[in-house]
Amino acid sequence: MPRCLIVQPMHKAALDMLADAGVEAVICPDTLPETVARLAAGVDAVITRDAGFGAAAMRAAGPSLRVVVAHGAGHDAIDKAAATELGILVCNTPGANARSVMELTLGLAIAAARKIPAADRAERGGEAGFRARAVTAELSGKTALVVGWGHIGQGVGRMLHDAFGMEILVHSPRARDTGGFERVATLADGLSRADLITLHTPMRPETEGLIGAAILAACKPGAILVNTARAGLVDEAALARALASGRIGAAALDVYSPGAPQGPLGRFEQVIFTPHLGGSTPEAMIRVGQGSVAHVLDALSGKRPATAQNDPKGWNR
Ligand SMILES: O=C(O)[C@H](O)COP(=O)(O)O
């Protein structure tokens, strides 16, 4: 019976699909590297989330391991170079959680513009003057810069345009078609015009620290930054300085470095943190989980999933 390592929690509907297909689920109780490596020994497939899957765990799995599936769009935490060298296919499940991430992005944009979390804290704390002191603003008719034009970026751009009549600017060096929205020549061009900046680009070496000190200096003063993509896209120290100077008016982060809410960024009333909730709805979890299992079943039957992200030997196209 083939075995599939489940590194982080997956929806029951996906586990049932695995069982119905005759694949044993090996469930990790935690994501400590030693636990993952111990349980990986001899598995045929792996499904992992943001904990990823590294070279040591791949080696611990041994030659039975054929495929590692990223439960979601991002596959940056899976060591693709090691996988390629070891003949392991890596694939992801793009689009399956896009709707949930889009909805959270809109929620965070509104929450930041209207200071909803701070208002809630003020009310619970019995602060009488919040309504008088807080300046909140509409999104309607303003300009949004969407950075990254995949499933999520496109959906967010369309929703912001259709719901609020926002002017949409797109920054995506890879997009062939921006759906009739204006493509900006450079990130700085877009930032200088945007009231709202929303990040939907993958984590790659070239996108690390994309939103850093120099680029933040190009922002329109008071802009709102929303990041539901990956923590490493933003230089958090530079963001804290931009918030202190008012260059950035508010930030809403669904991804951030460990401890950020307790650090300098957490001191700003106008920063909102959510614990990577983007894809964590039952609806998305069912779609992503079942999509991940479908990729495992395909790979175990020798079929290369269309979302393969590497080209190891033995998996020729
Ligand atoms: O890459 C993604 O799609 C998101 O980070 C969500 O991933 P998750 O399925 O681990 O929540």
Side-chain angles (χ1 to χ4, degrees), residues 248-273:
I248 289 288
L253 309 173
D254 191 42
V255 283
Y256 38 82
S257 63
Q262 292 75 41
L265 282 177
R267 295 194 198 110
F268 292 96
E269 178 185 79
Q270 69 273 37
V271 176
I272 302 169
F273 297 97

Side-chain angles (χ1 to χ4, degrees), residues 48-50 71-75 97 101 152 229-230 276 279-280 285 288:
T48 187
R49 299 177 62 186
D50 53 0
H71 179 284
H75 45 83
N97 60 18
V101 182
I152 299 168
R230 283 294 181 267
H276 201 28
S280 289
M285 290 292 286
V288 180

Side-chain angles (χ1 to χ4, degrees), residues 57-79:
M58 288 176 196
R59 293 209 167 84
S64 58
L65 182 57
R66 298 289 286 142
V67 64
V68 177
V69 180
H71 179 284
H75 45 83
D76 45 288
I78 299 172
D79 188 334

